[in-house]
Amino acid sequence: MTAVRGTRNSQDDEDFDVEEALALVKGETAPTPRSRPVPAPDGGQHGHRAAPTEHHRATPWPQARTIAERAGRAGACRAPVSVPLDASLGLVLATPLAALTDLPSFDTSAMDGWAVAGPGPWDVREEGVLAGQAQPERLTDGEAVRIATGARIPQDVTAVLRSEHGRTDEKGRLHATRDVVHGQDIRPRGQECRSGDHLLPVGALVTPAVLGLAAAAGYDTLAALPRPRAEVLVLGDELLTSGLPRDGLIRDALGPMLPSWLRAAGAEVVGVRRLGDDAEALHKAIAGSGADLIVTTGGTAAGPVDHVHPVLARLGAELLVDGVKVRPGHPMLLARTGENQHLVGLPGNPLAAVSGLLTLAEPLLRTLAGRAAPEPYAMPLTEAVHGHPYDTRLVPVALRAERAVPLHYNGPAMLRGIAASDALAVVPPGGARAGQELEILDLPWALAGLGACIE
């Protein structure tokens, strides 16, 4: 089992009320939490208070993702920045990409061969034409010159004769072995675009291909939306940063894992700080952070060292999501801590933290970065998956032959399943049968195939 942090107990992410389970088996609606008598000090009963309101007040999973996305929109109107090409991968264009020159900017040869003028056979000049040369000497009818792919076409050239389509006789004259069509294998100036043509719209994701196009079109920098800045605060006195677990201490799995997840979601990670279980240190860290998104690990429940809620209340933060109807990960939260700053509180169980990342952090960061939401899609399950009576469940799956294969080791404290997965399947309350199509959540680095290489 991997490190466990910040839930009410080690099983809380998967356990549910027996009464609710029996109601589900009978086909009834799961009961809502009701008021229960409060024991008086003398053993009697007086008054009523609400039963634990975990799933009563928690936000449904789809709605929680929508709230996170909307929160990102509120801070998405940030000034564009000018970014060098080699630093712009994964950003989003803030202005249209317009051609700064014709492409190609002069007539070029599409093949290695000979540039020929007029009908053949042709006398071949001794000097050839290579790519990168300035204006070559013009040809007259009956002349040919060796030419390389990408080289500038001399004036008055009729066509380019490919190397494999020509032969020379004993006098050195060039003959075509097939018909020559006027203009063949010549890329005319402006074939791809003319100067000023719009190549890509605002909001286009800068992929490796976009970098190549921008460079070809004459750009050294791009106007893009800046990456949202994220800071990670790792909580817990029991966490080790190296070596084997010992003496009641466990390895911190989230500190090493979260920065890469956040970068893959489009963020610039400005810091990872380990604070332990110190309420004052947490208050100071949140109050002094300049990040767009603060991510905390653990401490989101109501235990003696779960300081996130009290510190947020002390700071006057606005809770936008306080618990989500999803397993694992339901103690997650989203708060507005400043005019353009939010905090995502992740449960300390590793897979529960991944659930929180994809539920709250990813939609918020994606919107802040100006990225478009991925197109939703579904795939059939290869086998049945157990569900929770009233909550959504996220299950790691491998994608094989257009089907989703549920993976084992998917408990809230486990990373073995997600480490071998391609995506998460969204299992509705009550579970899903074999062959049932479920919504699939791609992992961040699978989106556009470039997340893992964004630094």
Side-chain angles (χ1 to χ4, degrees):
M1 181 177 288
T2 319
V4 179
R5 272 285 303 152
T7 52
R8 285 165 296 289
N9 58 62
S10 63
Q11 306 224 337
D12 187 60
D13 269 304
E14 295 302 329
D15 290 348
F16 50 88
D17 193 276
V18 173
E19 207 175 338
E20 294 165 326
L22 290 174
L24 182 72
V25 170
K26 295 175 182 177
E28 301 170 0
T29 302
T32 56
R34 58 184 182 277
S35 295
R36 296 174 182 170
V38 180
D42 59 3
Q45 294 180 341
H46 60 81
H48 287 78
R49 68 179 179 188
T53 55
E54 290 299 333
H55 91 271
H56 176 69
R57 74 159 184 260
T59 303
W61 181 77
Q63 184 181 341
R65 285 173 57 82
T66 300
I67 291 171
E69 188 175 281
R70 288 175 180 166
R73 283 189 205 138
C77 298
R78 297 174 298 157
V81 291
S82 180
V83 184
L85 286 186
D86 60 3
S88 59
L89 181 66
L91 297 182
V92 166
L93 294 180
T95 59
L97 188 73
L100 301 179
T101 182
D102 296 344
L103 287 182
S105 54
F106 45 81
D107 293 349
T108 61
S109 176
M111 293 288 171
D112 292 333
W114 296 270
V116 299
W122 302 273
D123 294 321
V124 181
R125 289 184 180 174
E126 291 186 6
E127 293 291 331
V129 181
L130 300 177
Q133 289 183 345
Q135 181 66 53
E137 186 178 348
R138 72 192 308 161
L139 294 182
T140 59
D141 282 357
E143 285 188 314
V145 65
R146 269 283 184 185
I147 195 165
T149 301
R152 189 167 186 164
I153 295 291
Q155 292 185 38
D156 298 329
V157 165
T158 302
V160 169
L161 182 65
R162 300 185 187 189
S163 296
E164 61 269 26
H165 296 162
R167 63 172 181 83
T168 54
D169 59 23
E170 64 280 0
K171 296 181 179 180
R173 289 170 61 81
L174 174 66
H175 298 261
T177 58
R178 60 177 59 188
D179 292 341
V180 176
V181 178
H182 193 281
Q184 73 181 26
D185 290 325
I186 294 175
R187 293 187 62 219
R189 175 174 182 165
Q191 182 185 54
E192 185 169 1
C193 65
R194 289 290 184 180
S195 180
D197 284 354
H198 279 217
L199 305 177
L200 292 170
V202 171
L205 181 68
V206 179
T207 63
V210 170
L211 291 178
L213 176 63
Y219 285 85
D220 298 317
T221 62
L222 292 175
L225 294 179
R227 287 189 178 91
R229 296 170 301 157
E231 183 173 14
V232 178
L233 306 180
V234 181
L235 312 182
D237 289 339
E238 77 281 20
L239 301 178
L240 293 169
T241 58
S242 63
L244 295 174
R246 63 182 184 275
D247 303 326
L249 303 177
I250 56 177
R251 279 297 297 270
D252 170 28
L254 298 183
M257 179 175 73
L258 291 182
S260 295
W261 277 85
L262 294 169
R263 291 188 189 104
E268 173 192 356
V269 179
V270 297
V272 179
R273 302 169 61 186
R274 290 173 170 82
L275 304 181
D277 288 318
D278 187 329
E280 286 304 314
L282 178 60
H283 179 276
K284 183 178 179 180
I286 296 174
S289 177
D292 301 298
L293 173 64
I294 303 167
V295 178
T296 61
T297 69
T300 56
V305 293
D306 290 334
H307 300 306
V308 174
H309 280 92
V311 167
L312 289 176
R314 182 178 165 191
L315 289 166
E318 178 187 2
L319 277 175
L320 304 177
V321 174
D322 190 9
V324 177
K325 294 181 180 181
V326 66
R327 305 297 171 118
H330 72 280
M332 69 182 75
L333 63 85
L334 171 64
R336 181 180 289 114
T337 51
E339 184 178 355
N340 293 305
Q341 185 185 72
H342 292 83
L343 180 145
V344 168
L346 301 177
N349 277 323
L351 187 58
V354 168
S355 173
L357 282 171
L358 292 180
T359 300
L360 298 177
E362 188 276 330
L364 189 148
L365 287 172
R366 168 171 36 84
T367 311
L368 280 176
R371 294 186 182 184
E375 288 292 326
Y377 72 100
M379 294 184 74
L381 292 173
T382 59
E383 60 188 77
V385 175
H386 295 296
H388 191 273
Y390 45 75
D391 289 353
T392 299
R393 190 173 172 220
L394 301 181
V395 175
V397 293
L399 305 182
R400 301 288 184 270
E402 302 300 319
R403 297 176 74 83
V405 182
L407 298 176
H408 300 294
Y409 305 104
N410 54 29
M414 299 179 181
L415 286 174
R416 186 172 172 181
I418 191 70
S421 72
D422 300 306
L424 293 175
V426 181
V427 181
R433 66 186 182 279
Q436 183 174 339
E437 289 202 345
L438 295 185
E439 180 183 354
I440 300 296
L441 292 182
D442 284 317
L443 301 180
W445 42 84
L447 301 175
L450 57 84
C453 61
I454 297 174
E455 293 296 334

